[in-house]
Amino acid sequence: MSIFSPRSLPEALEIANNHPTARLLAGGTDTMVEINFRHYEPTDIISLRHVRELQTFEQTGEVYRVGSAIPYREFENGSYAHISQALSEAARTVGSPQIRAAGTIGGNLGTCSPAGDTLPVLSALDAQIELASVNGTRVLSIHDFMLGVKRNARASNEIITAINFSKIDGYQGYAKVGVRNAMVISIASACLVHDPKNQRVAIALGAVGPTIIRCRESEAWLSDNTDLSTNSPISADITNEFARRVSAEARPITDHRSTAEYRKHAVGVLAQRLLKRAMQ
Amino acid sequence: MSTSPEMYSLRVNGTEQHVKDAWIGESLLYVLRERLGFMGAKGACEQGECGSCTVLINNDAVCSCLVMAASAIDTDITTVEGLATTETPNDIQQAFVTEGAVQCGFCTPGLIVAVHHLLETNSSPSEIEVKEALSGNICRCTGYGRIFSAVQLVISQREKSVS
Ligand SMILES: Cc1cc2nc3c(=O)[nH]c(=O)nc-3n(C[C@H](O)[C@H](O)[C@H](O)COP(=O)(O)OP(=O)(O)OC[C@H]3O[C@@H](n4cnc5c(N)ncnc54)[C@H](O)[C@@H]3O)c2cc1C
Ligand code: FES
Ligand code: FES
């Protein structure tokens, strides 16, 4: 049993390669709960706390590259709050200030829970996930990265280094349903991104399927029936039909947090609300 | 760099503390209380929900129950003990007493650290900012009203002492 505290990315990758069963530890907000409740017995741990490369942010033209271990607080109201309104709104709904000071997007991706709050945002933004190993770096679309309930495409020697996505000019927002305001895991959530330049709306749903659902059919229907090059208000008939279609694309289950029926209804309401906010 | 999880040292309130015979999965909360004798941070939920274990790591307020202790090497850890002495409470602690914001007191150390952190980053928070900053700290006794009054008291006292 060892805990490694690498001081650079190459060092971290070397350790990850030599210890394929080691667990990566970023903010620890998922992993420590598992350990405290004895759901997971740690053997080797690779702490990412001192790996500077994972804390960096870059902008190249219209593309942002966000280090995987930057805590939520920086997206909520800190240095990177301006890069994506939806990401900022999603970050603000996570846990509590203490959780947001520690928890990271890399950890949200690593856990890959269907209720992970940043995942619908990354899906609607068509984010690209950078995975590094001693063999080099590969970039995967978020849609190929998320495989199922708490399953993703990361290989055991890989570290998620960064998330890339493009700046978008139109409205973007995130909405979540939970039993109260602070500290709730989502019952249902939605992220909507309006990209007037490319005349499209993207909508992704959280907590209503084994992984995040992109509502491609509803998106296509909307662009066939609406002028998406502007944000002029659209008729109630259109928003209602859009909501109905989004709701039909959800594949929720009933569990201890809520019922499938309620979740299906809720994502329709969220879709309608977000579309109205986008088009006004 | 590899640290043996059984032996490492942590910088708590400015002093190096040696941890011996530890298990890799121990939380910072556990190590502070059970191995190093810092009883300020309290454990109630061990899942990040109650905030009674709040400490500062490099001046960020975090739940010590969610920090793997051995991963906190080379950081500055501040517990409530590091904010004042028992003999001379700081202005936040005094305000909690004055306003009756302490009943059973279990939540108090975590709240003192959270309020300290809030006022270090924002010296004149609005009411809603105070509520948001303390939303990760649960109190089962006071109903929060007296806690918010204590925070307002500190803010107004500090404003007076500056002007
Ligand atoms: C009280 C509480 C409230 C919470 N509320 C919310 C909420 O509202 N919404 C929400 O979405 N989540 C919530 N969470 C869950 C958690 O905070 C998030 O999932 C967070 O994003 C995890 O990030 P972390 O850095 O703390 O992860 P860690 O616990 O450090 O890691 C989680 C997983 O990801 C892996 N991992 C971490 N970093 C990397 C990397 N760079 N590359 C590859 N794998 C990596 C780890 O190996 C591990 O398997 C909450 C947790 C708690 C305790
Ligand atoms: S004991 Fe850490 S938050 Fe409750
Ligand atoms: S005073 Fe008892 S929990 Fe707050």
Side-chain angles (χ1 to χ4, degrees):
Chain A
M1 284 199 302
S2 291
I3 174 157
F4 299 93
S5 297
R7 303 295 153 146
S8 72
L9 183 60
E11 196 191 338
L13 294 174
E14 196 64 44
I15 298 166
N17 199 56
N18 296 336
H19 298 82
T21 60
R23 172 81 75 108
L24 301 169
L25 184 73
T29 60
D30 277 321
T31 299
M32 284 307 293
V33 175
E34 284 179 66
I35 294 175
N36 291 347
F37 286 81
R38 302 287 188 269
H39 295 149
Y40 162 64
E41 276 279 318
T43 52
D44 293 333
I45 294 281
I46 306 172
S47 164
L48 302 177
R49 186 188 293 280
H50 297 289
V51 181
R52 280 284 163 74
E53 291 95 324
L54 304 181
Q55 303 278 346
T56 54
F57 171 82
E58 286 161 60
Q59 180 174 0
T60 312
E62 301 273 87
V63 178
Y64 301 116
R65 180 177 183 279
V66 175
S68 62
I70 298 173
Y72 286 122
R73 189 200 41 218
E74 299 302 322
F75 303 100
E76 179 195 0
N77 52 21
S79 322
Y80 312 124
H82 64 283
I83 66 173
S84 159
Q85 179 63 29
L87 188 58
S88 174
E89 291 175 8
R92 185 159 180 261
T93 74
V94 174
S96 66
Q98 285 91 328
I99 302 298
R100 302 197 286 273
T104 66
I105 301 179
N108 221 212
L109 285 164
T111 298
C112 212
S113 155
D117 279 308
T118 63
L119 305 181
V121 179
L122 300 183
S123 172
L125 290 172
D126 293 311
Q128 301 283 321
I129 312 303
E130 245 178 77
L131 293 146
S133 74
V134 287
N135 306 319
T137 299
R138 61 175 178 140
V139 178
L140 270 185
S141 154
I142 179 74
H143 312 300
D144 299 325
F145 176 82
M146 300 185 293
L147 298 180
V149 180
K150 302 202 171 176
R151 282 197 309 119
N152 64 48
R154 182 184 82 91
S156 64
N157 68 343
E158 285 182 317
I159 295 178
I160 303 163
T161 43
I163 297 101
N164 296 273
F165 59 86
S166 300
K167 178 168 184 265
I168 288 182
D169 291 326
Y171 169 89
Q172 46 173 283
Y174 181 71
K176 162 175 171 182
V177 177
V179 286
R180 62 193 188 107
N181 277 335
M183 203 87 83
V184 290
I185 301 298
S186 161
I187 283 173
S189 72
C191 176
L192 183 140
V193 172
H194 177 212
D195 180 357
K197 204 161 65 190
N198 296 304
Q199 303 182 30
R200 57 184 207 114
V201 155
I203 181 156
L205 310 179
V208 289
T211 181
I212 305 307
I213 293 177
R214 251 306 272 279
C215 304
R216 307 272 181 196
E217 285 165 28
S218 307
E219 292 174 12
W221 177 84
L222 187 65
S223 60
D224 288 345
N225 288 279
T226 320
D227 173 13
L228 294 174
S229 66
T230 73
N231 62 344
S232 327
I234 50 183
S235 74
D237 286 350
I238 297 277
T239 43
N240 290 342
E241 179 59 16
F242 179 68
R244 197 190 63 73
R245 285 170 181 264
V246 166
S247 175
E249 286 194 66
R251 294 194 304 280
I253 55 163
T254 294
D255 66 8
H256 62 290
R257 281 199 195 97
S258 188
T259 63
E261 292 75 14
Y262 178 74
R263 287 185 156 117
K264 227 176 184 8
H265 171 74
V267 286
V269 174
L270 296 180
Q272 187 182 42
R273 236 178 244 174
L274 290 169
L275 186 61
K276 275 192 200 151
R277 286 182 199 163
M279 301 294 178
Q280 56 178 348
Chain B
M1 203 185 100
S2 148
T3 312
S4 149
E6 288 91 39
M7 205 150 95
Y8 54 92
S9 69
L10 297 176
R11 197 157 56 249
V12 185
N13 302 328
T15 311
E16 286 299 322
Q17 300 282 343
H18 300 285
V19 181
K20 285 195 290 268
D21 307 322
W23 171 63
I24 187 170
E26 287 173 5
S27 70
L28 179 60
L29 172 67
Y30 179 87
V31 168
L32 285 170
R33 292 181 58 88
E34 307 297 330
R35 297 195 180 279
L36 301 176
F38 291 95
M39 304 306 261
K42 302 277 183 275
C45 72
E46 295 188 58
Q47 51 181 314
E49 305 254 352
C50 75
S52 64
C53 65
T54 303
V55 301
L56 302 179
I57 292 194
N58 295 336
N59 291 321
D60 284 328
V62 297
C63 298
S64 60
C65 69
L66 299 184
V67 175
M68 187 178 285
S71 83
I73 55 164
D74 297 321
T75 66
D76 285 304
I77 300 161
T78 308
T79 67
V80 71
E81 289 93 337
L83 299 180
T85 61
T86 318
E87 296 72 38
T88 45
N90 69 19
D91 57 347
I92 301 170
Q93 291 167 318
Q94 188 55 56
F96 268 61
V97 174
T98 309
E99 289 297 321
V102 182
Q103 288 188 22
C104 80
F106 202 83
C107 67
T108 312
L111 273 161
I112 299 291
V113 175
V115 172
H116 169 86
H117 177 258
L118 165 67
L119 299 181
E120 287 296 297
T121 45
N122 179 358
S123 58
S124 54
S126 65
E127 201 181 315
I128 186 80
E129 284 172 328
V130 174
K131 287 188 176 166
E132 289 218 353
L134 302 185
S135 62
N137 292 76
I138 291 178
C139 174
R140 300 289 296 267
C141 302
T142 65
Y144 302 98
R146 286 163 188 268
I147 293 168
F148 297 134
S149 316
V151 178
Q152 289 312 323
L153 180 61
V154 180
I155 295 168
S156 61
Q157 283 173 343
R158 288 190 184 181
E159 273 165 5
K160 266 192 219 127
S161 71
V162 182
S163 57

